[in-house]
Amino acid sequence: LMCVVNDILDFSKIEAGKIDIEIVPFNIRSLIESVVDLVAVKAYEKNLEIASMVDPDVPKMLKGDPLRIRQIVLNLLTNAIKFTPRGGSICLQVKIKDNKVTITVSDNGKGIAPEYINNLFTNFFQVADHGIQNTGYGIGLALSKNIISLHQGNISVESEYAMNNENGK
């Protein structure tokens, strides 16, 4: 509940233009390890395999707001755990692509129907409202998008929807 309240407060601050983004050096490998450690129990409870990899080309130290970046990665991994079926797998990768740090979370869940992809980063939109059981509030991805925008970055999704299949990509 505290995470939801904090997300709502952050969301309100962003909407009001009152959120502060700190630009400081941080260790990306330590950040990724700490987030994976945080979600490991939930992944274990669903018998999910979770792996992370930081490409050797990624500098050890990056500049940005480590608290906010951690919040985004946690949100993405939590969603992946929520929507990946028992026994599935999740992979988090950090790479350099076109001179930018790219964080990718992939899983072998059912995927997202194409008609919902454009709305994923919309405030209070939930795929759960459209046939997938969910316990969220529909603000995590919208908040993540706003925080990433404040870092002059972007967020996107690619999905292969497996309508009649328990597992997809």
Side-chain angles (χ1 to χ4, degrees):
L1 186 58
M2 184 67 112
C3 289
V4 172
V5 170
N6 286 335
D7 282 352
I8 291 170
L9 289 173
D10 284 346
F11 193 76
S12 297
K13 287 179 189 176
I14 288 172
E15 291 287 311
K18 301 285 185 188
I19 195 161
D20 294 321
I21 295 294
E22 187 176 42
I23 304 298
V24 297
F26 68 96
N27 184 316
I28 187 66
R29 286 163 180 79
S30 295
L31 185 144
I32 296 299
E33 285 176 19
S34 71
V35 175
V36 170
D37 286 348
L38 239 161
V39 300
V41 171
K42 285 194 180 277
Y44 177 79
E45 288 171 354
K46 283 186 75 175
N47 194 30
L48 298 175
E49 181 180 324
I50 187 166
S52 65
M53 196 255 339
V54 179
D55 194 85
D57 294 341
V58 175
K60 181 179 178 181
M61 299 300 287
L62 298 175
K63 283 191 175 183
D65 190 327
L67 180 65
R68 303 293 179 197
I69 294 169
R70 184 176 188 275
Q71 181 179 14
I72 293 164
V73 174
L74 181 61
N75 185 335
L76 296 175
L77 284 177
T78 302
N79 280 348
I81 290 168
K82 191 183 308 183
F83 294 110
T84 300
R86 183 169 292 286
S89 62
I90 298 167
C91 182
L92 174 110
Q93 293 183 299
V94 182
K95 300 187 219 182
I96 296 286
K97 183 178 179 181
D98 301 326
N99 291 324
K100 293 182 180 178
V101 175
T102 303
I103 299 173
T104 305
V105 175
S106 56
D107 61 61
N108 65 344
K110 179 177 178 172
I112 302 163
E115 62 267 24
Y116 303 130
I117 288 179
N118 290 334
N119 294 319
L120 280 180
F121 303 107
T122 303
N123 304 343
F124 305 108
F125 177 82
Q126 291 183 288
V127 174
D129 294 339
H130 306 283
I132 297 176
Q133 188 173 3
N134 182 8
T135 57
Y137 297 94
I139 60 171
L141 291 177
L143 178 61
S144 295
K145 179 182 178 182
N146 287 322
I147 292 170
I148 290 169
S149 293
L150 292 171
H151 277 88
Q152 282 79 48
N154 59 42
I155 187 169
S156 63
V157 64
E158 294 176 18
S159 182
E160 295 176 20
Y161 183 57
M163 184 167 33
N164 296 321
N165 187 354
E166 186 76 10
N167 294 317
K169 183 176 178 185

